[in-house]
Short mmCIF file of all heavy atoms in Angstrom, two decimals:
data_model
loop_
_atom_site.label_atom_id
_atom_site.label_comp_id
_atom_site.label_asym_id
_atom_site.label_seq_id
_atom_site.Cartn_x
_atom_site.Cartn_y
_atom_site.Cartn_z
N ALA A 40 -0.41 -8.43 -20.45
CA ALA A 40 -0.26 -6.99 -20.48
C ALA A 40 0.34 -6.31 -19.29
O ALA A 40 0.78 -5.19 -19.37
CB ALA A 40 -1.82 -6.46 -20.72
N THR A 106 -0.82 1.63 -12.33
CA THR A 106 -0.30 0.31 -12.70
C THR A 106 0.74 0.36 -13.74
O THR A 106 0.55 0.96 -14.80
CB THR A 106 -1.44 -0.56 -13.24
OG1 THR A 106 -2.51 -0.67 -12.21
CG2 THR A 106 -0.93 -1.92 -13.55
N GLY A 107 1.96 -0.17 -13.49
CA GLY A 107 3.00 -0.27 -14.44
C GLY A 107 2.93 -1.75 -15.08
O GLY A 107 2.07 -2.47 -14.82
N ARG A 108 3.96 -2.00 -15.83
CA ARG A 108 4.00 -3.31 -16.51
C ARG A 108 5.51 -3.72 -16.45
O ARG A 108 6.46 -2.94 -16.62
CB ARG A 108 3.53 -3.35 -17.86
CG ARG A 108 4.30 -2.59 -18.93
CD ARG A 108 3.56 -2.65 -20.27
NE ARG A 108 4.36 -1.98 -21.28
CZ ARG A 108 3.97 -1.71 -22.61
NH1 ARG A 108 2.71 -2.16 -22.90
NH2 ARG A 108 4.79 -1.14 -23.44
N GLN A 133 8.19 -0.82 -16.62
CA GLN A 133 7.68 0.41 -17.29
C GLN A 133 6.58 1.01 -16.47
O GLN A 133 5.63 0.39 -16.02
CB GLN A 133 7.28 0.03 -18.71
CG GLN A 133 8.42 -0.53 -19.52
CD GLN A 133 7.92 -1.04 -20.93
OE1 GLN A 133 6.65 -1.00 -21.14
NE2 GLN A 133 8.81 -1.41 -21.73
N GLY A 134 6.62 2.39 -16.34
CA GLY A 134 5.50 3.06 -15.78
C GLY A 134 4.38 3.04 -16.70
O GLY A 134 4.43 2.68 -17.81
N PRO A 135 3.27 3.66 -16.22
CA PRO A 135 1.96 3.75 -17.13
C PRO A 135 2.16 4.86 -18.09
O PRO A 135 3.10 5.71 -17.99
CB PRO A 135 0.89 4.09 -16.10
CG PRO A 135 1.66 4.84 -15.04
CD PRO A 135 2.99 4.21 -14.83
N ILE A 136 1.30 4.86 -19.10
CA ILE A 136 1.16 6.02 -19.91
C ILE A 136 0.56 7.20 -19.18
O ILE A 136 -0.43 6.96 -18.49
CB ILE A 136 0.18 5.67 -21.17
CG1 ILE A 136 0.88 4.54 -22.00
CG2 ILE A 136 -0.02 6.89 -21.95
CD1 ILE A 136 -0.03 4.02 -23.10
N GLU A 137 1.28 8.28 -19.08
CA GLU A 137 0.78 9.44 -18.23
C GLU A 137 1.28 10.69 -19.03
O GLU A 137 2.09 10.69 -19.82
CB GLU A 137 1.33 9.24 -16.88
CG GLU A 137 2.90 9.11 -16.75
CD GLU A 137 3.39 8.82 -15.34
OE1 GLU A 137 2.74 9.31 -14.38
OE2 GLU A 137 4.36 8.12 -15.24
N ALA A 140 4.75 11.43 -20.23
CA ALA A 140 5.35 10.17 -20.46
C ALA A 140 4.41 9.31 -21.40
O ALA A 140 3.98 8.18 -20.97
CB ALA A 140 5.80 9.37 -19.33
N PRO A 141 4.14 9.83 -22.60
CA PRO A 141 3.10 9.11 -23.49
C PRO A 141 3.64 7.75 -23.90
O PRO A 141 2.90 6.93 -24.38
CB PRO A 141 2.86 10.03 -24.64
CG PRO A 141 4.19 10.89 -24.69
CD PRO A 141 4.61 11.08 -23.25
N GLU A 142 4.95 7.58 -23.91
CA GLU A 142 5.61 6.29 -24.39
C GLU A 142 5.94 5.43 -23.16
O GLU A 142 6.64 4.42 -23.22
CB GLU A 142 6.79 6.52 -25.24
CG GLU A 142 6.52 7.42 -26.46
CD GLU A 142 5.52 6.62 -27.37
OE1 GLU A 142 5.55 5.45 -27.49
OE2 GLU A 142 4.69 7.40 -28.05
N ARG A 143 5.58 5.81 -21.90
CA ARG A 143 5.86 5.15 -20.63
C ARG A 143 7.46 5.44 -20.33
O ARG A 143 8.31 5.57 -21.16
CB ARG A 143 5.79 3.66 -20.68
CG ARG A 143 4.32 3.25 -21.05
CD ARG A 143 4.25 1.75 -21.14
NE ARG A 143 2.86 1.23 -21.36
CZ ARG A 143 1.92 0.89 -20.50
NH1 ARG A 143 2.23 0.84 -19.24
NH2 ARG A 143 0.84 0.46 -20.88
N ARG A 144 7.71 5.55 -19.07
CA ARG A 144 8.99 5.73 -18.56
C ARG A 144 9.56 4.31 -18.19
O ARG A 144 8.85 3.52 -17.62
CB ARG A 144 9.11 6.60 -17.21
CG ARG A 144 8.75 8.04 -17.45
CD ARG A 144 8.99 8.81 -16.21
NE ARG A 144 8.69 10.17 -16.39
CZ ARG A 144 7.47 10.85 -16.19
NH1 ARG A 144 6.45 10.02 -15.74
NH2 ARG A 144 7.36 12.08 -16.28
N VAL A 145 10.73 4.00 -18.45
CA VAL A 145 11.45 2.84 -17.99
C VAL A 145 11.94 3.20 -16.55
O VAL A 145 12.97 3.91 -16.48
CB VAL A 145 12.51 2.31 -18.92
CG1 VAL A 145 13.17 1.07 -18.34
CG2 VAL A 145 11.90 2.02 -20.31
#
Side-chain angles (χ1 to χ4, degrees):
T106 302
R108 70 182 184 187
Q133 302 172 351
I136 296 171
E137 55 187 324
E142 302 298 325
R143 302 177 181 263
R144 294 183 178 93
V145 179

